[in-house]
Amino acid sequence: MHEWLVNYGFYSLFLLSFLAATLLPLGSEWLVVTLLIGGQNPVAVVMVATAGNYLGALSTYWIGLYGGDFLRRRVLRMDEATTLKAERFYERFGSLSLLFSFLPVIGDPLCLVGGVLQVGFIRFSLLVLTGKLARYAAVAWLTLEGAAL
């Protein structure tokens, strides 16, 4: 599997980055590092990984947006009072947490909650894209700095 992912380069990176931003427990940083060490263009690697990861997060956001009522009532078992309280809190503080959507374990649920609580598409996109771009840029920078030593 490792060889297949490396051999298909940018296609693999996009797919793995996309899947890593869904609720599946995957990571794409290792492939970013592998491609950079292999001499791929750093800007292209960061852009492909960011695009795939953003679109994966967007799919999770849409699941929350369109399945929100079911998720809120049946899965999370939230009544109306709890829902209103959560919405007020998230409107005040929570949407900025989408900057941290790149973090393992909590990042994917943040995108799901962003959809459930109907964070605006543009706000969601700006915050998530910023966080994901910063993460992949940091991975690329650290990889290239480490390779230069």
Side-chain angles (χ1 to χ4, degrees):
M1 178 73 141
H2 179 274
E3 286 182 37
W4 182 84
L5 288 169
V6 172
N7 288 337
Y8 286 97
F10 288 120
Y11 298 112
S12 297
L13 179 60
F14 181 86
L15 179 62
L16 188 59
S17 297
F18 179 93
L19 293 173
T22 65
L23 296 174
L24 297 173
L26 296 171
S28 56
E29 293 79 10
W30 69 270
L31 188 54
V32 168
V33 170
T34 301
L35 292 173
L36 290 171
I37 290 172
Q40 294 292 335
N41 180 324
V43 173
V45 169
V46 168
M47 290 299 121
V48 168
T50 301
N53 213 242
Y54 164 71
L55 291 173
L58 193 56
S59 69
T60 302
Y61 167 79
W62 282 333
I63 289 168
L65 192 62
Y66 294 110
D69 199 39
F70 172 79
L71 290 169
R72 187 173 59 243
R73 291 190 179 149
R74 300 283 178 133
V75 177
L76 301 175
R77 299 192 190 287
M78 294 172 67
D79 60 20
E80 288 304 313
T82 306
T83 300
L84 287 172
K85 196 174 181 181
E87 286 174 351
R88 275 188 253 125
F89 178 84
Y90 200 79
E91 283 175 10
R92 187 166 178 197
F93 304 107
S95 63
L96 289 178
S97 68
L98 290 168
L99 284 169
F100 301 100
S101 64
F102 67 87
L103 291 172
V105 181
I106 66 166
D108 301 335
L110 283 173
C111 294
L112 184 68
V113 170
V116 169
L117 296 180
Q118 300 179 351
V119 171
F121 176 75
I122 292 173
R123 183 176 185 83
F124 174 87
S125 292
L126 289 173
L127 292 168
V128 170
L129 268 171
T130 300
K132 295 195 180 277
L133 175 63
R135 182 220 13 229
Y136 285 116
V139 168
W141 183 78
L142 289 169
T143 299
L144 296 173
E145 284 296 310
L149 293 177

